[in-house]
């Protein structure tokens, strides 16, 4: 059977006592032990701590008539606890922590300069009565134009049938309203992107300057 490795300090670790050192000194010359166990005893003798597994292996292989009682051998000794190695953070966790730290620093900076830096006034769509009135007239004119185009188209296609001409006008009105809605959504999205890029670009130089 393979003997324990003296360099392997896994398992329980005991503080060395004088009875242990005396026993290990005798074990160095105990020919009942294998050469490897004698070397282990010689290696453990000057140490301040002794692994339990190695000491037990030496005690088991030594002469029963000369070896001390196992309980007496451990008397006065105590357990020695070693601190585990700190776990290394993964690269993904490091990047995540760095990003969170950057966000926290940005918030802290914004809190510090909120009373110094004037707030940018964000122009909301239809923020004034004039904008609302202009947009309403524009939508009304577009829908009216769509109705006229649809009415004239269906009237020419269906031999001036009043019902179908009216249906064509309604269809043109709906299509004009949909187009106007789509254009409004696109315009609002572009305005939001421009405001976001302006706020981020104005913040970045200030941050670099403080660094």
């Amino acid at each position: 059977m393979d003997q324990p490795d003296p360099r392997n300090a896994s398992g329980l670790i005991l503080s060395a006592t004088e009875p242990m050192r005396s026993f290990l000194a005798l074990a160095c010359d105990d020919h009942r032990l294998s050469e490897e166990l004698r070397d282990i005893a010689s290696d453990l003798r000057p140490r301040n701590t002794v692994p339990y597994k190695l000491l037990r292996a030496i005690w088991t292989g030594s002469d029963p008539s000369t070896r001390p009682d196992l309980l007496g051998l451990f008397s006065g000794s105590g357990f020695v606890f070693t601190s585990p190695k700190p776990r290394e953070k993964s690269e993904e966790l490091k990047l995540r922590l760095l990003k969170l730290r950057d966000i926290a620093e940005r918030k802290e900076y914004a809190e510090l300069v909120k009373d110094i830096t004037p707030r940018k006034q964000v122009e909301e769509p239809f923020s004034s009565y004039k904008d609302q009135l202009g947009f309403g007239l524009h939508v009304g004119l577009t829908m009216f134009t769509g109705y006229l185009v649809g009415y004239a188209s269906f009237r020419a296609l269906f031999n001036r049938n009043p019902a179908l001409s009216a249906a064509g006008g309604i269809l043109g009105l709906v299509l004009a309203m949909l187009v106007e809605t789509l254009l409004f959504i696109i315009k609002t999205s572009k305005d939001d992107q421009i405001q976001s890029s302006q706020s981020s670009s104005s913040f970045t130089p200030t941050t670099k300057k403080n660094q």
Side-chain angles (χ1 to χ4, degrees):
M1 181 177 64
D2 295 337
Q3 299 296 342
D5 187 355
R7 295 168 295 180
N8 184 10
S10 61
L12 293 177
I13 305 295
L14 304 174
S15 59
T17 60
E18 286 303 322
M20 287 184 187
R21 291 192 178 94
S22 300
F23 168 68
L24 292 173
L26 294 175
C28 292
D29 299 325
D30 190 349
H31 293 287
R32 293 193 56 169
L33 297 173
S34 64
E35 182 178 356
E36 186 175 4
L37 284 177
R38 291 199 300 271
D39 291 340
I40 292 175
S42 177
D43 181 71
L44 294 178
R45 182 182 175 186
R47 296 188 181 184
N48 294 325
T49 57
V50 179
Y52 169 79
K53 289 182 180 180
L54 301 180
L55 186 63
R56 179 64 184 270
I58 296 172
W59 184 87
T60 303
S62 61
D63 189 354
S65 61
T66 58
R67 69 189 180 190
D69 182 68
L70 189 60
L71 294 178
L73 185 63
F74 293 150
S75 178
S77 179
F79 296 115
V80 178
F81 299 98
T82 57
S83 301
K85 293 182 179 180
R87 295 178 59 184
E88 293 185 0
K89 299 176 182 177
S90 63
E91 292 298 327
E92 182 180 356
L93 180 59
K94 289 180 181 179
L95 291 175
R96 192 171 181 181
L97 291 175
L98 186 62
K99 189 178 295 185
L100 290 175
R101 186 186 307 166
D102 183 59
I103 293 174
E105 289 177 354
R106 287 172 179 265
K107 288 183 178 179
E108 184 179 357
Y109 175 78
E111 189 69 20
L112 288 174
V113 302
K114 69 178 183 180
D115 296 330
I116 303 173
T117 307
R119 293 185 179 179
K120 292 186 178 180
Q121 306 221 346
V122 181
E123 295 183 0
E124 297 290 339
F126 313 127
S127 57
S128 66
Y129 176 76
K130 184 179 179 180
D131 292 339
Q132 296 176 8
L133 181 60
F135 182 76
L137 291 175
H138 177 73
V139 172
L141 180 61
T142 303
M143 293 173 65
F144 181 71
T145 303
Y147 179 85
L148 291 180
V149 172
Y151 183 88
S153 300
F154 273 57
R155 185 179 181 185
L157 289 173
F158 298 102
N159 297 322
R160 301 188 178 187
N161 188 315
L164 291 178
S165 298
I170 295 173
L171 179 61
L173 184 146
V174 172
L175 290 177
M177 184 175 61
L178 291 176
V179 171
E180 192 65 32
T181 303
L182 180 61
L183 292 176
F184 173 74
I185 293 173
I186 294 174
K187 181 179 181 302
T188 306
S189 300
K190 286 185 178 180
D191 291 341
D192 292 340
Q193 291 177 358
I194 292 173
Q195 290 173 2
S196 300
S197 62
Q198 286 178 350
S199 59
S200 61
S201 62
S202 63
F203 180 79
T204 302
T206 311
T207 306
K208 290 182 178 179
K209 183 178 180 180
N210 289 330
Q211 291 175 351

